[in-house]
């Protein structure tokens, strides 16, 4: 029972979420291989080889994989597929982009966003923005999965896997990379932070998000946002937490000026401790908060920063 | 050029779904239904491309039972030219939906297919990518900007780290993200006009595809409820609780 896990990376660093996906893989079987597809990604390969439980790291280091274009990566995975019973990736934007192609080309169904493994063919996943939890059995010979990283613990990194270099290269040639406009931030990744503080429409504008900065600095927190704050242009899209944005489950989540729509809750309600600051005592966010503070955020945030 | 927009009928996004007592599925009886919000964005994008003169015809298609005609009519009222219902009473896996859509693509030969990135009921995020793979069309998912330029389309995508722009050779499959546009409302005259626009019904069984289920839904349960928390009276109290009770800050 061999399992292929796609490594998420930026050609320099292996994403911490891959360690969680490896844990999910180890719940299915023991022969877990990591695929590193990228360009000049040797440092990623070194990190991948240390992931405990991984027996082999397959490396496709070529310009065709630099931006991990869906057409090229799916063709690569397809060539390797014959050796694997299960193919999986983290449910982040790269995995979500190419994994369904692999499933379709293998003529099997994909099971998205699994949060638990019941057996090698039966998986648990949230549906309807997490308002229902489905147990789904795959009837196909091969399983193609994406994994919700927040539901699994990270694998250790004291292993030493065998590294195998692949020579097959596919460039489909129908899409090309034009540019990236990445958000530069010195703060921890939303997915990796143990504390997240998010602002919503109540913040009123982008300038006011600075009120969260000082608090985030003191707590070592990442900053997130609701869809309303992103749509209004207060902050960039990659800060959106929710059903259709990022899923986070930190030790502490602080929601400021966020009402608590089901789509937002879907992205943060598995946080260990939730704090809500809102001036409306009826705001639904208070129903999921461990600690609620009914207050005007423009008073509460400066006081919180000063007193931390 | 021709644009194909696959749309799905789903629960209204404001409604919180209930799980059936026997845990067989969610209960959708008497639930308010609507076009999947991401599909609405897809229709709007197609209409804007038509208004800009890039697109000549917009075809909307939905796979579902008779009730999805309601959403097809809404899409026609929003500006689509004609509609196709692929009729089935089964709820099909995304792979089978993609295979049916592949047949429609072969028949209609659109230059662009615009889908939603995700259905808000099944939360699959699969169909567009599968369709692109099956048809060999290029793929631009999670689009926040779509610019057609000759035989290419530039798609700006919402990715984990920010934005990424790709140049795709047409024909292409694009899936929509939230920031692509803000859908309009259908006007009353357009709703009336939509009633006379063509809506073809084709049984799914006539497409010659093996539509056997690839997954089986064993059970559906409600999520774990969070324990009710408390209201604190001040910032001091909040900090105290976080330090000594929750122990999440020091
Ligand atoms: C298809 C779809 C997908 C979606 N996906 C997501 C998603 O992934 N993530 C997401 O977040 N949303 C998502 N949404 C949107 C969601 O439905 C809500 O519209 C959104 O979460 C609301 O954001 P908000 O809470 O910031 O704004 P609002 O609902 O407007 O709430 C603002 C809150 O701020 C409070 N407030 C205002 N001023 C102050 C003040 N001075 N001090 C204290 N409190 C104040 C108000 O009392 C209010 O509760 C999605 C919607 C759809 C249709
Ligand atoms: N039954 C369906 N009929 C037509 N289009 C669909 C159907 N199901 C999914 N789609 C399309 O595929 C997109 C993504 O859906 P999904 O892969 O289910 O998350 C939707 O936004 C629609 O554009």
């Amino acid at each position: 029972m061999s399992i292929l896990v796609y490594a998420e990376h930026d050609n320099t660093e292996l994403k911490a979420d891959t360690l969680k996906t490896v844990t999910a893989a180890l719940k299915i079987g023991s022969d877990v291989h990591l695929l590193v597809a990228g360009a000049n990604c040797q440092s990623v390969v070194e990190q991948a080889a240390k992931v405990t439980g991984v027996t082999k790291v397959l490396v496709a280091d070529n310009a065709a994989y630099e931006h991990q274009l869906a057409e090229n990566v799916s063709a690569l995975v397809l060539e390797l597929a014959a050796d694997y019973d299960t193919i999986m990736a983290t449910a982040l934007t790269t995995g979500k982009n190419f994994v369904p192609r692999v499933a379709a080309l293998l003529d099997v169904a994909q099971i998205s966003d699994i949060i638990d493994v019941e057996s090698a063919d039966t998986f648990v996943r949230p549906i309807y923005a997490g308002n229902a939890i489905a147990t789904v059995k795959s009837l196909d010979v091969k399983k193609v999965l994406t994994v919700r990283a927040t539901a699994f613990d990270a694998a250790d990194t004291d292993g030493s896997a065998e590294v195998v270099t692949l020579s097959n290269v596919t460039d489909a040639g129908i899409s090309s990379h034009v540019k990236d406009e990445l958000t530069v931030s010195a703060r921890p990744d939303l997915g990796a932070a143990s504390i997240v503080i998010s602002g919503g429409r109540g913040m009123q504008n982008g300038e006011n998000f600075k009120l969260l900065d000082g608090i985030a600095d003191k707590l070592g927190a990442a900053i997130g946002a609701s869809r309303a704050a992103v749509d209004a242009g207060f902050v960039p899209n990659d800060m959106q937490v929710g059903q259709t944005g990022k899923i986070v489950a930190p030790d502490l989540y602080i929601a400021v000026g966020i009402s608590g729509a089901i789509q937002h809750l879907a992205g943060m309600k598995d946080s260990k401790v939730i704090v809500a600051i809102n001036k409306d005592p009826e705001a639904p966010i208070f129903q999921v908060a461990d600690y609620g503070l009914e207050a005007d955020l423009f008073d509460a945030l400066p006081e919180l920063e000063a007193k931390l | 050029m021709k644009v194909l927009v696959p749309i799905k009928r789903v629960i209204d996004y404001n409604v919180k779904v209930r799980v059936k007592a026997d845990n067989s599925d969610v209960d959708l009886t008497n639930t308010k239904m609507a076009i999947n919000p991401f599909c609405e964005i897809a229709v709007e994008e197609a209409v804007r491309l038509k208004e800009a003169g890039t697109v000549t015809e917009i075809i909307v298609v939905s796979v579902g039972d008779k009730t999805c005609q309601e959403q097809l009519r809404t899409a026609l009222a929003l500006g689509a030219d004609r509609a196709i219902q692929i009729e089935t009473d089964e709820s099909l896996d995304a792979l089978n939906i993609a295979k049916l859509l592949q047949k429609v693509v072969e028949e209609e030969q659109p230059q662009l297919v615009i889908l939603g990135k995700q259905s808000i009921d099944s939360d699959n995020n699969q169909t567009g990518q599968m369709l692109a793979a099956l048809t060999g069309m290029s793929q631009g998912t999670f689009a926040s900007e779509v610019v057609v330029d000759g035989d290419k389309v530039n798609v700006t995508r919402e990715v984990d780290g920010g934005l990424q722009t790709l140049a795709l050779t047409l024909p292409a499959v694009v899936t929509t993200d939230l920031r692509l546009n803000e859908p309009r409302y259908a006007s009353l005259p357009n709703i009336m006009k939509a009633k006379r626009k063509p809506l073809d019904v084709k049984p799914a069984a006539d497409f010659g595809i093996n539509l056997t289920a690839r997954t089986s839904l064993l059970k559906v349960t409600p999520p774990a409820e969070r324990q009710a928390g408390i209201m604190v009276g001040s910032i001091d109290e909040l900090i105290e609780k976080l330090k000594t009770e929750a122990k999440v800050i020091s």
Side-chain angles (χ1 to χ4, degrees):
Chain A
M1 170 73 60
S2 290
I3 301 166
L4 185 67
V5 174
Y6 185 82
E8 279 268 347
H9 64 86
D10 57 4
N11 290 317
T12 313
E13 242 179 296
L14 180 70
K15 279 261 175 77
D17 283 345
T18 298
L19 304 182
K20 301 180 178 177
T21 301
V22 166
T23 299
L26 289 166
K27 285 186 115 180
I28 301 172
S30 55
D31 197 17
V32 175
H33 300 178
L34 267 178
L35 169 63
V36 178
N40 300 317
C41 52
Q42 190 51 39
S43 58
V44 180
V45 176
E46 281 156 25
Q47 295 161 59
K50 293 204 182 95
V51 181
T52 313
V54 172
T55 53
K56 211 188 263 185
V57 176
L58 307 179
V59 184
D61 190 335
N62 189 285
Y65 307 122
E66 182 178 359
H67 301 287
Q68 304 178 51
L69 297 178
E71 291 87 350
N72 298 354
V73 172
S74 54
L76 171 69
V77 174
L78 200 69
E79 283 185 49
L80 304 171
D83 295 338
Y84 297 95
D85 307 290
T86 305
I87 295 168
M88 49 209 288
T90 315
L92 292 169
T93 47
T94 307
K96 289 177 185 174
N97 191 33
F98 86 83
V99 174
R101 299 178 60 90
V102 173
L105 296 169
L106 288 171
D107 197 23
V108 304
Q110 173 184 320
I111 300 181
S112 299
D113 240 332
I114 63 162
I115 56 169
D116 204 359
V117 174
E118 290 223 327
S119 70
D121 64 9
T122 303
F123 309 95
V124 181
R125 63 180 300 261
I127 51 175
Y128 291 87
N131 287 308
I133 306 295
T135 304
V136 183
K137 183 181 162 106
S138 161
L139 307 175
D140 289 308
V141 278
K142 276 189 205 293
K143 323 297 174 210
V144 175
L145 315 169
T146 62
V147 176
R148 178 170 292 195
T150 53
F152 299 90
D153 294 328
D156 290 331
T157 51
D158 58 0
S160 57
E162 174 196 359
V163 175
V164 179
T165 306
L166 303 172
S167 53
N168 27 359
V169 176
T170 314
D171 189 347
I174 50 175
S175 62
S176 60
H177 181 261
V178 178
K179 64 174 178 193
D180 286 332
E181 294 154 87
L182 301 182
T183 308
V184 205
S185 163
R187 298 193 187 286
D189 237 23
L190 261 180
S194 57
I195 300 182
V196 173
I197 180 162
S198 292
R201 200 196 311 267
M203 300 299 292
Q204 289 180 5
N205 57 47
E207 187 65 18
N208 288 336
F209 262 76
K210 292 209 178 105
L211 293 171
L212 303 180
D213 279 339
I215 298 169
D217 285 343
K218 288 197 167 169
L219 295 175
I223 299 186
S226 70
R227 173 191 174 181
V230 177
D231 282 6
F234 303 171
V235 290
N237 61 282
D238 55 297
M239 286 169 66
Q240 180 183 313
V241 170
Q243 178 190 16
T244 61
K246 289 203 170 119
I247 308 288
V248 300
D251 293 337
L252 173 60
Y253 187 90
I254 308 175
V256 185
I258 291 177
S259 61
I262 52 176
Q263 293 84 7
H264 189 78
L265 301 185
M268 44 64 79
K269 72 178 158 69
D270 291 327
S271 305
K272 284 206 190 75
V273 174
I274 297 174
V275 169
I277 302 176
N278 198 302
K279 67 176 183 189
D280 172 10
E282 304 297 321
I285 190 77
F286 286 130
Q287 289 161 23
V288 300
D290 299 281
Y291 304 106
L293 178 66
E294 181 191 336
D296 190 308
L297 67 91
F298 295 102
D299 300 327
L301 291 177
E303 186 183 343
L304 179 59
E305 182 181 345
K307 289 184 170 164
L308 274 174
Chain B
M1 67 182 185
K2 234 191 226 187
V3 176
L4 181 71
V5 184
I7 65 170
K8 185 177 182 189
R9 172 185 168 93
V10 297
I11 187 170
D12 182 272
Y13 79 96
N14 277 312
V15 179
K16 191 170 165 186
V17 79
R18 288 176 316 272
V19 170
K20 282 185 187 166
D22 67 0
N23 289 340
S24 61
D25 206 339
V26 296
D27 187 357
L28 292 180
T29 26
N30 300 323
T31 306
K32 189 172 170 212
M33 304 296 278
I35 301 192
N36 182 40
F38 288 101
C39 302
E40 220 177 339
I41 296 172
V43 172
E44 175 67 30
E45 195 63 15
V47 173
R48 290 187 190 190
L49 285 168
K50 192 174 174 198
E51 286 168 348
T54 315
V55 159
T56 47
E57 188 183 24
I58 303 168
I59 306 154
V60 284
V61 53
S62 192
V63 182
D65 66 18
K66 202 169 183 343
T67 57
C68 77
Q69 289 188 9
E70 192 188 330
Q71 279 62 45
L72 286 170
R73 287 287 173 207
T74 305
L76 292 170
L78 290 169
D81 297 295
R82 62 188 167 93
I84 303 168
Q85 181 207 353
I86 302 180
E87 189 163 33
T88 172
D89 290 335
E90 314 274 315
S91 127
L92 299 176
D93 292 313
L95 179 63
N96 287 332
I97 306 263
K99 287 183 174 180
L100 289 165
L101 295 176
Q102 179 190 7
K103 292 285 179 196
V104 179
V105 166
E106 282 164 10
E107 165 111 15
E108 300 284 350
Q109 298 285 321
Q111 284 295 94
L112 203 54
V113 185
I114 312 180
L115 304 90
K117 81 163 176 182
Q118 172 174 344
S119 331
I120 62 160
D121 52 359
S122 62
D123 282 332
N124 274 332
N125 199 331
Q126 300 176 2
T127 310
Q129 297 88 316
M130 287 181 161
L131 178 64
L134 294 174
T135 56
M137 293 165 93
S138 57
Q139 165 180 326
T141 51
F142 326 147
S144 67
E145 198 184 352
V146 173
V147 181
V148 178
D149 179 15
D151 63 348
K152 288 219 158 36
V153 54
N154 280 322
V155 177
T156 301
R157 310 178 50 232
E158 295 201 3
V159 294
D160 288 326
L163 297 171
Q164 176 188 62
T165 305
L166 301 179
L168 309 178
T169 304
L170 292 172
V173 171
V174 169
T175 75
T176 63
D177 215 320
L178 294 169
R179 260 69 62 180
L180 182 57
N181 60 49
E182 230 177 280
R184 70 194 67 192
Y185 294 96
S187 68
L188 196 58
N190 285 345
I191 293 172
M192 299 312 291
K193 253 194 264 169
K195 293 189 175 150
R196 293 188 304 273
K197 290 185 179 176
L199 191 164
D200 280 351
V201 180
K202 302 182 181 178
D206 290 2
F207 282 75
I209 298 170
N210 175 359
L211 295 172
T212 316
R214 304 309 193 85
T215 55
S216 138
L217 185 60
L218 300 187
K219 70 170 185 226
V220 177
T221 55
E225 286 293 329
R226 283 190 79 94
Q227 294 242 315
I230 58 161
M231 295 301 285
V232 294
S234 67
I235 291 284
D236 289 317
E237 192 188 343
L238 176 62
I239 293 175
E240 170 66 17
K241 293 279 185 203
L242 293 178
K243 281 188 179 164
T244 58
E245 196 175 82
K247 299 192 173 68
V248 284
I249 63 173
S250 50

